[in-house]
Amino acid sequence: MSSLTIGKLAKAADVKVPTIRFYEQIGLLPEPDRTDNDRRVYQEATVRRLAFIKHARQLGFPIEAVRSLLDLSDHPEQTCDSANALAEEQLASVEHKIAQLEALRTELKRMVAAGCKGAAADCQVIESLANHDLCQHDHGAPEPRRSH
Amino acid sequence: MSSLTIGKLAKAADVKVPTIRFYEQIGLLPEPDRTDNDRRVYQEATVRRLAFIKHARQLGFPIEAVRSLLDLSDHPEQTCDSANALAEEQLASVEHKIAQLEALRTELKRMVAAGCKGAAADCQVIESLANHDLCQHDHGAPEPRRSH
DNA sequence: GTGCATCCTCTAGTAGCTAGAGGATCAAGT
DNA sequence: ACTTGATCCTCTAGCTACTAGAGGATGCAC
């Protein structure tokens, strides 16, 4: 039976080391055994658990949902109604976000297409921002934050 | 010339009061005059500035981009190249997010459709999370966080 | 005058990590 | 044996963009 350092585990599940410690801290991962020198020692099974978490997070499930899903995974005799509910909720959330972002895209495209050459005084981008009435569609508050 | 309390300004621009103080703190809004009792006093023009900020934020521009856009709006004699660049950048960011979310949607739909009636042991939602190989498409890390 | 709304400042909390300080220990190469 | 670099430890702070709350001082209407 092989055991892993935190670094190996991180590589095996393609997750950063501090993230593992963080998951332990919030109770998504159990506290592992330690060596004489306080280093964490993991079993192979933890790779699967961590991969499960990672996958759920990639799909956008919030941590608390992941916690519930893990709990179901740990107790397969329970009914999976809540897993279905969580998945449906997440799907609805994603579709909602897509709809919002598509409205934003429309608006941004219009701004970019109008463009302007020259002074900001005549800039349609600036003008669009100043004058919400120019918007063709409603665009509510999205989830900000750029990926860059 | 009418002047406004922070509460009136908040209502006029449909923004919460603490948000205004926050924008002042980070320098998006200038420090207003104060009454004898230290209460903020705003001019009508601030409503437009705040609406500009709100609109830009709704379109997903990060604060630092808003700062640049405001700066351009304040100095209309400058060229608006950077406004165009920011808008294009934001458009690209939005399109990127849409693409990611559509991949997630596909995956989640598959999970939900497979569903399951009964025990978590046979739940396709749980199984999908445990086994990434079941995914039909790549879905990278999205921007998580549920709206609700 | 009484009570509620609004204002003030300051601090902490939200989500989900990520980065860094400061220090100990391990593993490989010479 | 020694050195060097990688890895480990804990703890704290930072990121985004606000939001909520404590604790207290006014303002405004009846």
Side-chain angles (χ1 to χ4, degrees):
Chain A
M1 57 198 213
S2 56
S3 57
L4 304 165
T5 65
I6 196 172
K8 308 275 188 189
L9 173 61
K11 250 168 217 153
D14 193 25
V15 160
K16 287 182 186 147
V17 167
T19 302
I20 294 173
R21 288 196 271 251
F22 172 73
Y23 285 159
E24 177 184 329
Q25 195 190 318
I26 63 173
L28 283 193
L29 290 176
E31 294 187 17
D33 292 337
R34 301 281 186 133
T35 67
D36 294 349
N37 287 310
D38 254 7
R39 306 205 159 185
R40 290 168 177 83
V41 180
Y42 295 95
Q43 307 309 126
E44 275 290 339
T46 310
V47 178
R48 284 195 298 283
R49 190 178 184 85
L50 189 49
F52 183 104
I53 296 170
K54 192 194 173 195
H55 192 188
R57 292 288 307 123
Q58 280 181 332
L59 287 168
F61 287 93
I63 294 279
E64 288 315 306
V66 177
R67 201 187 296 280
S68 304
L69 292 166
L70 273 172
D71 190 61
L72 277 168
S73 177
D74 289 342
H75 304 284
E77 73 283 4
Q78 295 178 9
T79 67
C80 64
D81 295 350
S82 54
N84 281 322
L86 285 168
E88 275 166 29
E89 199 180 323
Q90 180 58 20
L91 177 56
S93 163
V94 166
E95 292 190 326
H96 179 67
K97 281 184 203 163
I98 288 173
Q100 277 189 327
L101 287 172
E102 281 175 346
L104 296 191
R105 179 174 55 183
T106 301
E107 175 65 8
L108 285 165
K109 268 190 177 168
R110 203 177 55 67
M111 281 169 61
V112 167
C116 59
K117 335 96 196 162
D122 308 316
C123 181
Q124 286 307 306
V125 173
I126 299 289
E127 182 54 29
S128 292
L129 289 170
N131 189 356
H132 199 150
D133 298 341
L134 297 175
C135 293
Q136 315 277 321
H137 304 272
D138 268 359
H139 52 78
E143 321 274 307
R145 186 175 293 185
R146 248 176 347 187
S147 61
H148 70 128
Chain B
M1 57 197 213
S2 56
S3 57
L4 303 166
T5 65
I6 196 171
K8 309 274 188 190
L9 174 60
K11 251 166 217 156
D14 193 26
V15 160
K16 286 180 187 147
V17 167
T19 303
I20 294 174
R21 289 196 272 251
F22 172 71
Y23 286 159
E24 177 185 328
Q25 195 191 321
I26 64 172
L28 283 194
L29 289 176
E31 294 187 17
D33 292 338
R34 300 281 185 132
T35 67
D36 294 350
N37 286 310
D38 252 8
R39 305 204 159 185
R40 291 168 176 83
V41 180
Y42 295 96
Q43 306 309 126
E44 275 292 339
T46 310
V47 179
R48 284 196 297 283
R49 190 178 183 84
L50 188 49
F52 184 103
I53 295 171
K54 192 193 171 194
H55 193 187
R57 292 289 305 123
Q58 280 182 333
L59 287 167
F61 287 93
I63 294 279
E64 287 315 306
V66 178
R67 201 188 295 279
S68 304
L69 292 166
L70 274 172
D71 190 61
L72 276 168
S73 178
D74 289 341
H75 303 284
E77 73 283 3
Q78 295 178 10
T79 67
C80 65
D81 296 351
S82 54
N84 282 322
L86 285 168
E88 275 166 28
E89 200 178 323
Q90 181 57 20
L91 177 56
S93 163
V94 165
E95 292 190 326
H96 179 67
K97 281 183 202 164
I98 288 173
Q100 276 189 328
L101 286 172
E102 281 175 346
L104 296 191
R105 179 174 56 182
T106 301
E107 175 65 8
L108 284 164
K109 269 189 176 168
R110 203 178 55 68
M111 281 169 62
V112 167
C116 59
K117 335 96 196 161
D122 307 316
C123 180
Q124 286 307 306
V125 173
I126 299 289
E127 182 54 29
S128 291
L129 290 169
N131 189 356
H132 199 148
D133 296 342
L134 297 175
C135 295
Q136 314 278 321
H137 303 272
D138 267 358
H139 52 80
E143 321 273 309
R145 184 174 296 185
R146 252 178 342 188
S147 62
H148 84 126

